[in-house]
Structure formats: C-alpha cells, structure tokens
Amino acid sequence: MKVVITGGGTGIGKYLALKFASLGEKILILGRRKEKLEEVQSKYKDNIDYLSVDIGNEEDWKKVKEYFENNNTKIKYFINSAAVIEPINKFREINKDAFDKLMNINVSGPIFLIKELIPYFIKGSRVLNISSGAAHTPIISWLPYCISKAALWMVTQCLNTELKSYGIKCGSIMPGVVDTDMQATIRSKTENEFPNVENFRNMNLASSEEVAEKIYKFLTSYEDEEFVSKDWNVREVK
C-alpha cells in the first residue's frame, strides 16, 4: 500500500512524506527536482520511493501509472501538494505560456494523474487537495493562481460525486501562509509586479513541519462526512 504525494521534495509535501514514513508507511513522492526528492528519500530509504516527474506533463502521468503497474501495489492516500504560483503580475502583463504552465500543474495534473491511477486506489482510500485562501478571495496580480485554486476546489467537489462508486473520498484543506519556496517567490516580487508584496513580507510564516502535522491528522483521523464537508482551514484542525 502506498501514500502518493505530489510536490514531495519540498515544503508541506516533504514533511508529510517524512511523517508517514516515520510511522512505517510506504511512500511514493513525485516532483520535478530529483536532488530534492533524493534528499527526502535518504531519511527513510526503505519506506520512500520517488519519481522525478512534472505532473503538468501528460507523458509523466503515464510514468506514474507504469510505476504502479510494475510494482503490484495500491494507493491508500493521494495528496496533491504540488503547485506553482507564477506568473505573479498585473492582468495586462500576464504571459499566456506561463499561464498555461501554471494551469497544467495546478489543475490538469491533479485531474488526469488521478484519472490514470483510479485502478490502483483501494476502497476507502482518500484524495487530499492542498487548497488556498486564494481559491475564495481575489488577490491583485494573482489571477492565474486564484483561478487555479478555485478550479481545484471544484475538482474536489466533482471528484466526490464521480468517485463514490470506487469508495474514494476527496478532501481539501487551506494551509495558510507557510514557510515554503512559494512564499519566497511571493516575497521576491517588486511592488510593480505585486502591489501587496510588503504585506506578505510582514506576515509571520507557519513552519511546513507544523502544518504537515495538522494536515496528517485531518487526512487520517477525520470522519468521512467531515473530511468532504468543506474547504477546511488548517487552523480549524484540533
């Protein structure tokens, strides 16, 4: 049985992988940067496998499916933590290629990777999408990211309708402002690119490890009805 984590080489995905592995679970982490994946795997070599893939790339969805075909294993939890936030820029400056790349990673990847892997989910398995407050609140210069996270929240709801017959539940949780590479990218922007950048620079960041602990609890211990009921805020997890 496997726990699959996209974006498993850094941030929240990394610490979720380490949490599960520390408890003896078998993990498959996915990400674009091989060196980051290898670093996470080195902590628990017997428990963590990795695939260096881009979940926005159709050919890489097939590589993940081949892993399950070749390893005779099933999926217990699927955590979609991979996401990008760029392009961050005013509406009239958005680049179409960068917009498409973001949508492929943040929206198309979760949809079609799960679609490829449906035969390998066990009954009673769970999908968890890492959401954002940007799914529900417009933020200047974040149009692509806001759209993608709003779309992902609808993906969560649609999957709960579509996957009932497979015994798969899909949940969603907003981690808040967390110390990740994404926050470093946000804070590196100029005021011309992102007029509210100074507000973000002054925010206190939660640690990825602390947030991962709460997300783990939510994913593994909340009852089905609660798990699927809304787009949860990590601060609500007790």
Coordinates of all heavy atoms in Angstrom, one line a residue, residues 71-147:
N71 N 4.9 -2.4 -9.9 CA 5.2 -2.7 -8.5 C 4.1 -3.4 -7.7 O 4.3 -3.7 -6.5 CB 5.6 -1.4 -7.8 CG 7.0 -0.9 -8.2 OD1 8.0 -1.3 -7.6 ND2 7.0 0.0 -9.2
N72 N 3.0 -3.7 -8.4 CA 2.0 -4.5 -7.8 C 1.6 -4.0 -6.4 O 1.6 -4.7 -5.4 CB 2.4 -6.0 -7.6 CG 1.2 -6.9 -7.2 OD1 0.1 -6.6 -7.6 ND2 1.5 -7.9 -6.5
T73 N 1.2 -2.7 -6.4 CA 0.8 -2.1 -5.1 C -0.4 -1.2 -5.3 O -0.7 -0.9 -6.5 CB 2.0 -1.3 -4.5 OG1 1.7 -0.8 -3.2 CG2 2.3 0.0 -5.4
K74 N -1.0 -0.8 -4.3 CA -2.2 0.0 -4.3 C -2.0 1.4 -3.6 O -1.1 1.5 -2.8 CB -3.4 -0.7 -3.7 CG -3.7 -2.0 -4.4 CD -4.4 -1.8 -5.8 CE -4.9 -3.1 -6.4 NZ -5.6 -2.8 -7.7
I75 N -3.0 2.3 -3.8 CA -2.9 3.6 -3.2 C -3.9 3.7 -2.0 O -5.1 3.4 -2.2 CB -3.2 4.7 -4.2 CG1 -2.2 4.6 -5.3 CG2 -3.3 6.1 -3.6 CD1 -2.6 5.5 -6.5
K76 N -3.4 4.1 -0.9 CA -4.2 4.4 0.3 C -4.6 5.8 0.5 O -5.7 6.2 0.7 CB -3.4 3.9 1.6 CG -4.1 4.1 2.9 CD -3.2 3.5 4.0 CE -3.9 3.6 5.4 NZ -3.0 3.1 6.4
Y77 N -3.6 6.7 0.3 CA -3.8 8.2 0.3 C -3.1 8.8 -0.9 O -2.0 8.4 -1.2 CB -3.2 8.8 1.6 CG -3.9 8.3 2.9 CD1 -3.1 7.7 3.8 CD2 -5.2 8.6 3.1 CE1 -3.6 7.3 5.0 CE2 -5.8 8.2 4.3 CZ -5.0 7.5 5.3 OH -5.5 7.1 6.4
F78 N -3.7 9.8 -1.5 CA -3.1 10.5 -2.6 C -3.2 12.0 -2.2 O -4.3 12.6 -2.0 CB -3.9 10.3 -3.9 CG -3.3 11.1 -5.1 CD1 -2.4 10.5 -6.0 CD2 -3.6 12.4 -5.2 CE1 -1.9 11.2 -7.0 CE2 -3.0 13.2 -6.3 CZ -2.2 12.5 -7.2
I79 N -2.1 12.7 -2.0 CA -2.0 14.0 -1.5 C -1.5 14.9 -2.6 O -0.3 14.7 -3.1 CB -1.1 14.2 -0.3 CG1 -1.6 13.3 0.8 CG2 -1.1 15.7 0.2 CD1 -0.6 13.1 2.0
N80 N -2.3 15.8 -3.1 CA -1.8 16.7 -4.2 C -1.3 18.0 -3.6 O -2.0 19.0 -3.3 CB -3.0 17.0 -5.1 CG -2.6 18.0 -6.1 OD1 -1.6 17.9 -6.8 ND2 -3.4 19.1 -6.2
S81 N 0.0 18.1 -3.4 CA 0.7 19.2 -2.7 C 1.4 20.1 -3.8 O 1.8 21.2 -3.5 CB 1.6 18.7 -1.7 OG 2.2 19.8 -0.9
A82 N 1.7 19.5 -4.9 CA 2.4 20.3 -6.0 C 1.6 21.5 -6.5 O 0.4 21.3 -6.8 CB 2.8 19.4 -7.1
A83 N 2.3 22.6 -6.6 CA 1.6 23.8 -7.2 C 2.7 24.8 -7.5 O 3.7 24.9 -6.8 CB 0.5 24.4 -6.2
V84 N 2.4 25.7 -8.4 CA 3.2 26.9 -8.7 C 2.3 28.1 -8.6 O 1.1 28.1 -8.8 CB 3.9 26.8 -10.1 CG1 4.9 25.6 -10.1 CG2 2.9 26.7 -11.2
I85 N 3.0 29.2 -8.3 CA 2.2 30.5 -8.1 C 2.5 31.5 -9.3 O 1.7 32.4 -9.5 CB 2.5 31.1 -6.8 CG1 1.4 32.2 -6.5 CG2 3.9 31.7 -6.7 CD1 1.4 32.7 -5.1
E86 N 3.6 31.3 -10.0 CA 3.9 32.2 -11.1 C 3.2 31.8 -12.3 O 3.0 30.6 -12.6 CB 5.4 32.3 -11.3 CG 6.2 32.9 -10.1 CD 7.6 33.2 -10.5 OE1 8.4 32.3 -10.5 OE2 7.9 34.4 -10.7
P87 N 2.7 32.8 -13.1 CA 3.1 34.2 -13.1 C 2.4 35.1 -12.1 O 1.2 35.0 -12.0 CB 2.7 34.7 -14.5 CG 1.5 33.8 -14.9 CD 1.8 32.5 -14.3
I88 N 3.1 35.8 -11.3 CA 2.6 36.9 -10.5 C 2.8 38.2 -11.2 O 4.0 38.6 -11.4 CB 3.3 36.9 -9.1 CG1 3.0 35.6 -8.4 CG2 2.8 38.1 -8.3 CD1 3.8 35.5 -7.0
N89 N 1.8 38.8 -11.7 CA 1.9 40.1 -12.4 C 0.5 40.6 -12.7 O -0.5 39.9 -12.5 CB 2.6 39.9 -13.7 CG 3.5 41.1 -14.1 OD1 3.2 42.2 -13.7 ND2 4.6 40.8 -14.7
K90 N 0.5 41.9 -13.0 CA -0.8 42.6 -13.2 C -1.4 41.9 -14.5 O -0.8 41.4 -15.4 CB -0.6 44.1 -13.4 CG -0.2 44.7 -12.1 CD 0.1 46.2 -12.3 CE 0.6 46.8 -11.0 NZ 1.0 48.2 -11.2
F91 N -2.8 42.0 -14.5 CA -3.5 41.3 -15.5 C -3.0 41.6 -16.9 O -2.9 40.7 -17.7 CB -5.0 41.8 -15.4 CG -5.9 41.3 -16.5 CD1 -6.1 39.9 -16.7 CD2 -6.6 42.2 -17.3 CE1 -6.9 39.4 -17.7 CE2 -7.4 41.7 -18.3 CZ -7.6 40.3 -18.5
R92 N -2.7 42.8 -17.3 CA -2.3 43.2 -18.6 C -0.9 42.7 -19.0 O -0.5 42.7 -20.1 CB -2.4 44.7 -18.9 CG -3.9 45.2 -18.8 CD -4.0 46.6 -19.2 NE -3.8 46.7 -20.6 CZ -3.7 47.9 -21.3 NH1 -3.9 49.0 -20.6 NH2 -3.5 48.0 -22.6
E93 N -0.2 42.2 -18.0 CA 1.2 41.7 -18.2 C 1.3 40.2 -18.2 O 2.4 39.6 -18.3 CB 2.1 42.3 -17.1 CG 2.1 43.8 -17.0 CD 2.6 44.5 -18.3 OE1 3.5 43.9 -19.0 OE2 2.1 45.5 -18.6
I94 N 0.2 39.5 -18.0 CA 0.2 38.0 -17.9 C 0.7 37.4 -19.3 O 0.2 37.8 -20.3 CB -1.1 37.4 -17.5 CG1 -1.5 37.9 -16.1 CG2 -1.1 35.9 -17.6 CD1 -3.0 37.5 -15.8
N95 N 1.6 36.5 -19.1 CA 2.1 35.7 -20.3 C 1.3 34.4 -20.5 O 1.1 33.7 -19.6 CB 3.6 35.4 -20.1 CG 4.2 34.6 -21.2 OD1 4.1 33.3 -21.1 ND2 4.8 35.2 -22.2
K96 N 0.8 34.2 -21.7 CA 0.0 33.0 -22.0 C 0.7 31.7 -21.7 O 0.1 30.8 -21.1 CB -0.5 33.1 -23.4 CG -1.3 31.9 -23.9 CD -2.7 31.8 -23.2 CE -3.6 30.9 -23.9 NZ -3.1 29.5 -24.2
D97 N 1.9 31.6 -22.1 CA 2.7 30.3 -21.9 C 2.8 30.0 -20.4 O 2.7 28.9 -20.0 CB 4.0 30.4 -22.6 CG 3.9 30.3 -24.1 OD1 2.9 29.9 -24.6 OD2 4.9 30.7 -24.8
A98 N 3.1 31.1 -19.6 CA 3.3 30.9 -18.2 C 1.9 30.6 -17.5 O 1.9 29.7 -16.6 CB 3.9 32.2 -17.6
F99 N 0.9 31.2 -18.0 CA -0.5 30.9 -17.5 C -0.8 29.4 -17.8 O -1.3 28.7 -16.9 CB -1.5 31.8 -18.2 CG -2.9 31.5 -17.9 CD1 -3.5 32.2 -16.8 CD2 -3.7 30.6 -18.6 CE1 -4.8 31.9 -16.4 CE2 -5.0 30.4 -18.2 CZ -5.6 31.0 -17.1
D100 N -0.5 28.9 -19.0 CA -0.9 27.6 -19.4 C 0.0 26.6 -18.5 O -0.6 25.5 -18.1 CB -0.6 27.3 -20.8 CG -1.6 28.0 -21.8 OD1 -2.6 28.4 -21.3 OD2 -1.3 28.1 -23.0
K101 N 1.2 26.9 -18.3 CA 2.1 26.0 -17.4 C 1.5 25.9 -16.0 O 1.4 24.8 -15.5 CB 3.5 26.6 -17.4 CG 4.4 25.7 -16.6 CD 5.9 26.3 -16.6 CE 6.8 25.5 -15.7 NZ 8.2 26.0 -15.7
L102 N 1.1 27.0 -15.4 CA 0.5 27.0 -14.1 C -0.8 26.2 -14.1 O -0.9 25.3 -13.2 CB 0.2 28.4 -13.6 CG -0.5 28.6 -12.3 CD1 0.0 29.9 -11.6 CD2 -2.0 28.7 -12.4
M103 N -1.6 26.4 -15.1 CA -2.9 25.6 -15.1 C -2.7 24.1 -15.3 O -3.4 23.3 -14.7 CB -3.8 26.2 -16.2 CG -4.3 27.6 -15.9 SD -5.2 27.8 -14.4 CE -6.8 27.0 -14.8
N104 N -1.6 23.8 -16.0 CA -1.3 22.3 -16.2 C -0.9 21.7 -14.9 O -1.3 20.6 -14.6 CB -0.2 22.2 -17.3 CG -0.7 22.4 -18.7 OD1 -1.9 22.2 -19.0 ND2 0.2 22.7 -19.6
I105 N -0.1 22.4 -14.2 CA 0.4 21.8 -12.9 C -0.6 21.9 -11.8 O -0.8 20.9 -11.1 CB 1.7 22.6 -12.4 CG1 2.9 22.3 -13.4 CG2 2.1 22.2 -11.0 CD1 4.1 23.2 -13.2
N106 N -1.3 23.0 -11.7 CA -2.2 23.2 -10.6 C -3.6 22.5 -10.7 O -4.3 22.2 -9.8 CB -2.4 24.7 -10.3 CG -1.2 25.4 -9.8 OD1 -0.1 24.8 -9.8 ND2 -1.3 26.6 -9.4
V107 N -4.0 22.4 -12.0 CA -5.4 21.8 -12.3 C -5.4 20.6 -13.1 O -5.9 19.5 -12.7 CB -6.3 22.9 -12.9 CG1 -7.7 22.4 -13.1 CG2 -6.3 24.2 -12.1
S108 N -4.8 20.6 -14.3 CA -4.8 19.4 -15.2 C -4.1 18.3 -14.5 O -4.5 17.1 -14.6 CB -4.2 19.8 -16.5 OG -5.0 20.8 -17.2
G109 N -2.9 18.5 -13.9 CA -2.1 17.5 -13.3 C -2.9 16.6 -12.3 O -3.0 15.4 -12.4
P110 N -3.5 17.3 -11.3 CA -4.3 16.5 -10.3 C -5.5 15.7 -11.0 O -5.7 14.6 -10.6 CB -4.9 17.6 -9.4 CG -3.8 18.7 -9.5 CD -3.3 18.7 -10.9
I111 N -6.1 16.3 -11.9 CA -7.3 15.7 -12.5 C -6.8 14.4 -13.3 O -7.3 13.3 -13.1 CB -8.0 16.6 -13.5 CG1 -8.7 17.7 -12.8 CG2 -9.0 15.8 -14.4 CD1 -9.2 18.8 -13.7
F112 N -5.9 14.6 -14.2 CA -5.6 13.5 -15.1 C -4.6 12.4 -14.5 O -4.6 11.3 -14.9 CB -5.0 14.0 -16.4 CG -6.1 14.7 -17.2 CD1 -6.2 16.1 -17.2 CD2 -7.0 14.0 -17.9 CE1 -7.2 16.7 -17.9 CE2 -8.0 14.6 -18.6 CZ -8.1 16.0 -18.6
L113 N -3.8 12.9 -13.5 CA -3.0 11.9 -12.8 C -3.9 10.9 -12.0 O -3.7 9.7 -12.0 CB -2.0 12.6 -11.9 CG -1.0 11.7 -11.2 CD1 -0.2 10.7 -12.1 CD2 0.0 12.5 -10.4
I114 N -4.9 11.5 -11.3 CA -5.8 10.7 -10.5 C -6.6 9.8 -11.5 O -6.8 8.6 -11.2 CB -6.8 11.6 -9.7 CG1 -6.0 12.2 -8.6 CG2 -7.9 10.7 -9.1 CD1 -6.7 13.3 -7.8
K115 N -7.0 10.3 -12.6 CA -7.7 9.5 -13.6 C -6.9 8.3 -14.0 O -7.4 7.2 -14.1 CB -8.0 10.4 -14.8 CG -8.7 9.6 -16.0 CD -9.1 10.6 -17.1 CE -9.7 9.9 -18.3 NZ -8.7 9.2 -19.1
E116 N -5.6 8.5 -14.3 CA -4.7 7.4 -14.7 C -4.6 6.3 -13.6 O -4.5 5.1 -13.9 CB -3.3 7.9 -15.0 CG -3.3 8.7 -16.3 CD -3.3 7.9 -17.6 OE1 -3.3 6.6 -17.5 OE2 -3.5 8.5 -18.7
L117 N -4.7 6.8 -12.3 CA -4.4 5.9 -11.2 C -5.6 5.3 -10.6 O -5.5 4.5 -9.6 CB -3.6 6.7 -10.1 CG -2.2 7.2 -10.6 CD1 -1.6 8.0 -9.4 CD2 -1.3 6.1 -11.0
I118 N -6.8 5.6 -11.0 CA -8.0 5.1 -10.4 C -8.0 3.5 -10.2 O -8.4 3.1 -9.1 CB -9.3 5.4 -11.3 CG1 -9.6 6.9 -11.1 CG2 -10.5 4.6 -11.0 CD1 -10.1 7.2 -9.7
P119 N -7.5 2.7 -11.1 CA -7.5 1.3 -10.9 C -6.7 0.9 -9.6 O -6.8 -0.3 -9.2 CB -6.9 0.7 -12.2 CG -7.1 1.7 -13.2 CD -7.0 3.0 -12.5
Y120 N -5.8 1.7 -9.1 CA -4.9 1.4 -8.1 C -5.3 1.9 -6.7 O -4.6 1.6 -5.7 CB -3.5 1.9 -8.4 CG -3.0 1.3 -9.8 CD1 -3.1 2.1 -10.9 CD2 -2.7 0.0 -9.9 CE1 -2.8 1.6 -12.1 CE2 -2.3 -0.5 -11.2 CZ -2.4 0.3 -12.3 OH -2.1 -0.2 -13.5
F121 N -6.4 2.6 -6.6 CA -6.9 3.1 -5.3 C -7.7 2.0 -4.7 O -8.5 1.3 -5.3 CB -7.9 4.3 -5.5 CG -7.2 5.6 -5.8 CD1 -6.7 6.0 -7.0 CD2 -6.9 6.5 -4.7 CE1 -6.1 7.2 -7.2 CE2 -6.3 7.7 -4.9 CZ -5.9 8.1 -6.2
I122 N -7.5 1.8 -3.4 CA -8.3 0.8 -2.6 C -9.6 1.4 -2.2 O -9.7 2.7 -2.2 CB -7.5 0.3 -1.4 CG1 -7.3 1.5 -0.4 CG2 -6.3 -0.4 -1.8 CD1 -6.9 1.0 1.0
K123 N -10.6 0.6 -2.0 CA -11.9 1.1 -1.4 C -11.6 1.7 0.0 O -10.9 1.0 0.8 CB -12.9 0.0 -1.4 CG -14.3 0.5 -1.0 CD -15.3 -0.6 -1.2 CE -16.7 -0.1 -0.9 NZ -17.8 -1.1 -1.1
G124 N -12.1 2.9 0.2 CA -11.8 3.5 1.5 C -10.6 4.5 1.4 O -10.2 5.1 2.5
S125 N -10.0 4.6 0.3 CA -8.8 5.5 0.1 C -9.3 6.9 0.1 O -10.5 7.2 -0.1 CB -8.0 5.1 -1.1 OG -8.9 5.2 -2.3
R126 N -8.3 7.8 0.2 CA -8.7 9.3 0.2 C -7.7 10.1 -0.6 O -6.5 9.8 -0.7 CB -8.6 9.8 1.7 CG -9.7 9.4 2.6 CD -9.6 10.0 4.0 NE -10.9 9.7 4.7 CZ -11.1 10.2 5.9 NH1 -10.2 11.0 6.5 NH2 -12.3 10.0 6.5
V127 N -8.3 11.1 -1.3 CA -7.5 12.1 -2.0 C -7.6 13.4 -1.2 O -8.7 13.7 -0.7 CB -8.1 12.3 -3.4 CG1 -7.4 13.5 -4.1 CG2 -8.0 11.1 -4.3
L128 N -6.5 14.1 -1.0 CA -6.5 15.4 -0.4 C -5.8 16.4 -1.3 O -4.6 16.3 -1.6 CB -5.7 15.3 1.0 CG -5.7 16.6 1.7 CD1 -7.1 17.1 2.1 CD2 -4.8 16.5 3.0
N129 N -6.6 17.4 -1.6 CA -6.0 18.5 -2.4 C -5.6 19.7 -1.4 O -6.4 20.1 -0.6 CB -7.1 19.1 -3.4 CG -7.3 18.1 -4.5 OD1 -6.4 17.4 -4.9 ND2 -8.5 18.0 -5.0
I130 N -4.4 20.2 -1.6 CA -3.9 21.3 -0.8 C -4.5 22.6 -1.5 O -4.1 22.9 -2.6 CB -2.4 21.4 -0.7 CG1 -1.9 20.0 -0.1 CG2 -2.0 22.6 0.1 CD1 -2.4 19.7 1.3
S131 N -5.4 23.3 -0.8 CA -6.1 24.4 -1.4 C -5.4 25.7 -1.0 O -4.2 25.7 -0.6 CB -7.5 24.4 -0.9 OG -8.3 25.4 -1.4
S132 N -6.1 26.8 -1.0 CA -5.5 28.1 -0.6 C -6.7 29.1 -0.4 O -7.8 29.0 -1.0 CB -4.7 28.6 -1.8 OG -4.3 30.0 -1.6
G133 N -6.5 30.1 0.5 CA -7.4 31.1 0.6 C -7.7 31.9 -0.7 O -8.7 32.5 -0.9
A134 N -6.7 31.8 -1.6 CA -6.8 32.4 -2.9 C -7.9 31.7 -3.8 O -8.3 32.3 -4.8 CB -5.5 32.4 -3.6
A135 N -8.4 30.6 -3.4 CA -9.5 29.9 -4.1 C -10.8 30.7 -3.9 O -11.7 30.6 -4.7 CB -9.7 28.5 -3.6
H136 N -10.8 31.5 -2.8 CA -12.1 32.1 -2.4 C -12.0 33.7 -2.3 O -13.0 34.3 -2.2 CB -12.5 31.6 -1.0 CG -12.5 30.1 -0.9 ND1 -13.5 29.3 -1.5 CD2 -11.6 29.3 -0.4 CE1 -13.2 28.1 -1.3 NE2 -12.1 28.0 -0.6
T137 N -10.8 34.2 -2.4 CA -10.6 35.7 -2.3 C -9.7 36.1 -3.5 O -8.6 35.7 -3.6 CB -9.9 36.0 -1.0 OG1 -10.7 35.5 0.1 CG2 -9.8 37.5 -0.8
P138 N -10.1 37.1 -4.3 CA -9.3 37.6 -5.4 C -8.1 38.4 -4.8 O -8.3 39.2 -3.9 CB -10.2 38.5 -6.2 CG -11.3 38.9 -5.2 CD -11.5 37.7 -4.3
I139 N -6.9 38.2 -5.3 CA -5.7 38.9 -4.9 C -5.1 39.5 -6.2 O -4.9 38.9 -7.2 CB -4.7 37.9 -4.2 CG1 -5.4 37.3 -3.0 CG2 -3.4 38.7 -3.9 CD1 -4.5 36.2 -2.3
I140 N -4.8 40.8 -6.1 CA -4.3 41.5 -7.2 C -3.0 40.9 -7.7 O -2.1 40.5 -6.8 CB -4.1 43.0 -6.9 CG1 -3.8 43.8 -8.2 CG2 -3.1 43.3 -5.8 CD1 -3.8 45.3 -8.0
S141 N -2.8 40.7 -9.0 CA -1.6 40.1 -9.6 C -1.5 38.6 -9.5 O -0.5 38.0 -9.9 CB -0.3 40.8 -9.0 OG -0.2 42.1 -9.3
W142 N -2.5 38.0 -8.8 CA -2.5 36.5 -8.7 C -3.6 35.9 -9.5 O -4.0 34.8 -9.2 CB -2.7 36.2 -7.2 CG -1.6 36.4 -6.3 CD1 -0.5 37.3 -6.4 CD2 -1.4 35.8 -5.0 NE1 0.3 37.2 -5.3 CE2 -0.2 36.3 -4.5 CE3 -2.1 34.8 -4.3 CZ2 0.3 35.9 -3.2 CZ3 -1.7 34.4 -3.1 CH2 -0.5 34.9 -2.5
L143 N -4.1 36.5 -10.5 CA -5.2 36.0 -11.3 C -5.1 34.5 -11.6 O -5.9 33.7 -11.4 CB -5.5 36.8 -12.5 CG -6.7 36.4 -13.3 CD1 -7.4 37.6 -13.9 CD2 -6.3 35.5 -14.5
P144 N -3.9 34.1 -12.3 CA -3.8 32.7 -12.6 C -3.9 31.7 -11.4 O -4.6 30.7 -11.5 CB -2.4 32.6 -13.3 CG -2.2 34.0 -13.8 CD -2.8 34.9 -12.7
Y145 N -3.2 32.1 -10.4 CA -3.2 31.2 -9.2 C -4.5 31.1 -8.5 O -5.0 30.1 -8.2 CB -2.1 31.7 -8.2 CG -2.0 30.8 -7.0 CD1 -1.3 29.6 -7.1 CD2 -2.4 31.2 -5.7 CE1 -1.1 28.8 -6.0 CE2 -2.3 30.4 -4.6 CZ -1.6 29.2 -4.7 OH -1.4 28.4 -3.6
C146 N -5.2 32.3 -8.4 CA -6.5 32.3 -7.8 C -7.5 31.5 -8.6 O -8.3 30.7 -8.0 CB -7.1 33.7 -7.7 SG -6.2 34.8 -6.5
I147 N -7.5 31.6 -9.9 CA -8.3 30.8 -10.8 C -8.0 29.3 -10.6 O -8.9 28.5 -10.5 CB -8.1 31.2 -12.3 CG1 -8.7 32.6 -12.5 CG2 -8.8 30.2 -13.2 CD1 -8.4 33.1 -13.9

